[in-house]
Amino acid sequence: MSSIAAGCDHGGFLLKNLLIDYLTEQSHQVIDLGTHSLERVDYPDYAEAVARLVAAGEVDFGLLVCGSGIGVCIAANKIQGIRAATVYDVTSAHLSREHNDANIICLGERLTGPEVAKEAVDVFLQSNFQDGRHAARIKKIDDLR
């Protein structure tokens, strides 16, 4: 099972909590970095907290949720070593891991329903980077400053 750091803003609070419960039931170790209420907060704070744990190797993966999944993804990708992907379905979750070696899955509570989100997280965690021709591309991404 995987260790996962999870975070969200107020717009992703309900879906994050649902996914934490779902992942915990599957015996994944989940660290909930907040937010812990529907009170308005700034998503970059939570995206950074999750991304720093992933980049430091303290957890295997990150899970970020906001209203669209886009804001947390942009913020997380500012941290060196992070390859966050906004995912909308099972196919984008699968490809983000196989082709892009994504280490943080980002979801939008306003755009992705709970059942699709669960399936996408499952596929994200079960998929592996294909390496091969994709490795050179990932190196180019990692070399960007």
Side-chain angles (χ1 to χ4, degrees):
M1 292 295 122
S2 299
S3 60
I4 303 158
C8 69
D9 69 355
H10 55 285
F13 176 71
L14 299 175
L15 183 58
K16 179 206 69 166
N17 288 345
L18 180 143
L19 291 172
I20 286 174
D21 290 344
Y22 177 70
L23 291 165
T24 302
E25 289 170 7
Q26 294 181 345
S27 300
H28 293 285
Q29 177 191 2
V30 182
I31 301 168
D32 185 354
L33 298 175
T35 191
H36 301 289
S37 76
L38 290 169
E39 183 178 331
R40 187 192 165 282
V41 295
D42 296 327
Y43 62 82
D45 299 333
Y46 301 93
E48 179 185 8
V50 167
R52 293 225 181 264
L53 284 183
V54 174
E58 294 181 34
V59 293
D60 299 317
F61 296 104
L63 165 67
L64 288 168
V65 188
C66 66
S68 68
I70 298 168
V72 289
C73 186
I74 291 170
N77 277 316
K78 299 293 278 183
I79 305 302
Q80 188 173 353
I82 295 304
R83 288 175 304 282
T86 302
V87 165
Y88 300 102
D89 55 24
V90 169
T91 302
S92 57
H94 180 71
L95 292 173
S96 74
R97 288 285 302 130
E98 276 199 354
H99 292 193
N100 308 114
D101 199 17
N103 49 18
I104 297 179
I105 183 171
C106 302
L107 296 159
E109 183 174 309
R110 296 180 189 132
L111 303 176
T112 306
E115 294 308 312
V116 172
K118 288 178 190 176
E119 291 175 9
V121 168
D122 282 343
V123 167
F124 183 87
L125 295 174
Q126 294 165 6
S127 297
N128 294 309
F129 181 50
Q130 285 185 343
D131 214 357
R133 72 179 193 268
H134 303 290
R137 296 171 184 151
I138 297 306
K139 179 167 181 352
K140 285 183 178 188
I141 291 170
D142 288 345
D143 289 345
L144 293 173
R145 303 275 184 243

